[in-house]
């Protein structure tokens, strides 16, 4: 029989996300989490087992309501090349609207957690790879539709786009302006506009 939940788990996990997001995994104590979630320490341990397990649950919820929702919506548009462009445009808008400059929980965790905890590092990397795989699928679909040249390596380009995306999210926390962020993204997105055929001499 599962453990009885004596609190609103949806609200509690959202508050845990905010706590980890604000302070980072290492600097967040179980006491901090319990206070933010409005539950006792014993209830936290009974429900999740450990701070690590709660962090994993928080990352899963964060993925569902951010990157996964965005990816599903953009892929449903049926315009793969524009889906990548829109993804970057929305991320830039989101970064500039982020007044506390909290950044992306995945990217923050890649810097804060991954170097010190291999297991959580692999978990964070797997979420980032979902975004890379989205880029790769879009590139492959656009190539099949004749919108992007087939000579462009979809796997290599998707990795490049992910690297640019992570860089944008890090730089945006330093209060970088829109012009700078768009200038960083522009050369990467220009790859998607490469001529379909080489010019003849």
């Amino acid at each position: 029989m599962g453990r009885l939940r004596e609190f609103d788990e949806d609200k509690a996990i959202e508050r845990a996300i905010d706590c980890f997001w604000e302070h980072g995994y290492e600097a967040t104590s179980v006491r901090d989490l319990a206070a933010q979630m409005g539950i006792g320490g014993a209830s936290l341990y009974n429900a999740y087992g450990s701070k690590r397990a709660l962090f994993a649950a928080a990352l899963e919820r964060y993925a569902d309501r951010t990157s996964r929702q965005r990816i599903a919506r953009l892929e449903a548009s049926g315009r793969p090349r524009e889906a990548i462009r829109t993804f970057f445009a929305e991320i830039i808008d989101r970064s500039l609207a982020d007044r506390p400059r909290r950044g992306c929980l995945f990217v923050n965790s890649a810097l804060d957690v991954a170097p010190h905890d291999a297991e959580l590092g692999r978990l964070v990397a797997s979420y980032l790879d979902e975004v890379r795989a989205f880029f790769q699928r879009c590139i492959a679909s656009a190539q099949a539709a004749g919108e992007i040249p087939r000579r462009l390596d979809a796997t290599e380009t998707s990795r490049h786009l992910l690297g640019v995306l992570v860089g944008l999210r890090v730089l945006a926390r330093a209060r970088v302006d829109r012009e700078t962020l768009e200038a960083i993204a522009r050369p990467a997105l220009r790859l998607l506009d490469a001529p379909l055929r080489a010019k003849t001499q």
Side-chain angles (χ1 to χ4, degrees):
M1 180 180 296
R3 295 186 180 90
L4 177 65
R5 296 292 200 269
E6 297 178 349
F7 57 90
D8 187 323
E9 191 170 3
D10 285 336
K11 289 182 179 178
I13 198 70
E14 291 293 338
R15 291 170 180 169
I17 290 172
D18 287 338
C19 197
F20 285 124
W21 207 352
E22 182 177 355
H23 303 292
Y25 176 77
E26 295 294 342
T28 299
S29 68
V30 171
R31 180 177 295 179
D32 294 332
L33 288 163
Q36 183 93 351
M37 295 166 72
I39 62 177
S43 294
L44 188 152
Y45 281 114
N46 286 338
Y48 299 100
S50 66
K51 181 178 112 171
R52 176 193 293 249
L54 175 56
F55 183 64
L59 286 177
E60 182 71 12
R61 175 63 63 86
Y62 180 80
D64 284 341
R65 68 174 172 84
T66 56
S67 58
R68 287 173 181 161
Q69 285 188 3
R70 180 177 292 109
I71 287 169
R73 170 171 51 83
L74 293 177
E75 285 195 303
S77 72
R79 303 173 63 197
R81 185 170 66 173
E82 288 307 309
I84 296 175
R85 291 185 172 281
T86 302
F87 189 100
F88 273 88
E90 290 184 3
I91 289 298
I92 290 173
D93 287 343
R94 182 180 177 88
S95 297
L96 293 171
D98 178 18
R99 295 189 180 279
R101 293 297 189 264
R102 294 195 299 178
C104 169
L105 184 58
F106 295 141
V107 174
N108 296 350
S109 299
L111 300 172
D112 173 44
V113 181
H116 313 292
D117 190 310
E119 182 180 344
L120 289 177
R122 285 190 293 272
L123 183 61
V124 171
S126 72
Y127 288 120
L128 291 174
D129 194 60
E130 290 182 22
V131 178
R132 185 211 59 76
F134 158 69
F135 291 151
Q136 183 171 343
R137 290 194 302 272
C138 286
I139 294 168
S141 294
Q143 287 174 324
E147 297 177 350
I148 293 178
R150 291 186 180 275
R151 65 180 178 276
L152 193 70
D153 187 296
T155 301
E156 183 177 278
T157 304
S158 70
R159 290 170 178 164
H160 176 64
L161 290 172
L162 178 62
V164 173
L165 177 66
V166 170
L168 283 174
R169 293 300 260 161
V170 172
L171 286 171
R173 295 198 67 187
R175 302 185 183 276
V176 176
D177 58 278
R178 176 181 293 277
E179 182 179 358
T180 299
L181 296 180
E182 290 182 346
I184 291 168
R186 195 173 300 122
L189 295 176
R190 197 173 291 139
L191 293 171
L192 307 179
D193 294 327
L196 293 178
R197 295 183 181 85
K199 292 182 180 179
T200 57
Q201 300 297 326

